[in-house]
Amino acid sequence: FPGTYNARRDNLEGGFWKGLFGTSHGIMIVNAFFENVARDGSNVVLEFRPKPTQDMLVACLWSRWSAPGEPDLLSFAAITDEPPTEVAAAGHDRCIVPIKEENIDAWLQPEPSNLAAQYAILDDRQRPYYEHRLAA
């Protein structure tokens, strides 16, 4: 299915993401992200940017699904967690998890038998301040 997906940090070992966390990690480099929020009874899209402006290394999971007679589906999902105060105040209940540059190799080469180390990388994240505006 086309689209952008999120993998909730509180559900990485169960359900849909089971088997990917600890084995199939990726990174997405972004300097903004967009979220749907309710404003005055309707849906609006907000753009969130870190201040100062910077590239963020967003923790992701990826997968390849195959089915007989169908083309392979390559997919990924950004890992999300509880939002910082300014994102919650803007009306959204999740936020991407940008990891620190020094954790890239450990994130991209996870040890499936040591999920605690992967959670530690998610805990030791960058914590920029996010400004938001209505997306054009």
Side-chain angles (χ1 to χ4, degrees):
F1 302 102
T4 305
Y5 299 96
N6 295 322
R8 293 179 59 103
R9 181 189 167 155
D10 58 5
N11 193 32
L12 294 175
E13 293 182 65
F16 193 75
W17 309 113
K18 186 177 183 173
L20 296 178
F21 181 60
T23 62
S24 299
H25 293 190
I27 291 186
M28 176 175 54
I29 302 171
V30 303
N31 58 24
F33 64 97
F34 300 83
E35 297 291 355
N36 291 293
V37 299
R39 291 269 170 97
D40 300 322
S42 61
N43 181 65
V44 297
V45 178
L46 297 182
E47 175 187 54
F48 291 90
R49 286 193 175 273
K51 291 298 175 191
T53 300
Q54 59 192 278
D55 285 341
M56 297 178 289
L57 306 169
V58 179
C60 298
L61 301 177
W62 65 269
S63 185
R64 175 186 301 223
W65 287 290
S66 298
E70 299 289 330
D72 285 355
L73 172 63
L74 298 173
S75 182
F76 79 98
I79 295 178
T80 63
D81 203 356
E82 298 298 319
T85 305
E86 69 275 11
V87 173
H92 197 62
D93 65 347
R94 307 296 303 159
C95 188
I96 58 174
V97 178
I99 66 171
K100 292 181 178 175
E101 189 172 349
E102 60 264 25
N103 292 328
I104 291 175
D105 288 340
W107 179 254
L108 293 176
Q109 299 173 33
E111 294 179 38
S113 62
N114 188 4
L115 295 182
Q118 303 313 305
Y119 283 115
I121 291 170
L122 298 176
D123 288 337
D124 184 35
R125 70 185 81 170
Q126 286 185 313
R127 298 195 186 268
Y129 178 84
Y130 297 102
E131 290 185 348
H132 72 279
R133 66 179 183 93
L134 284 174

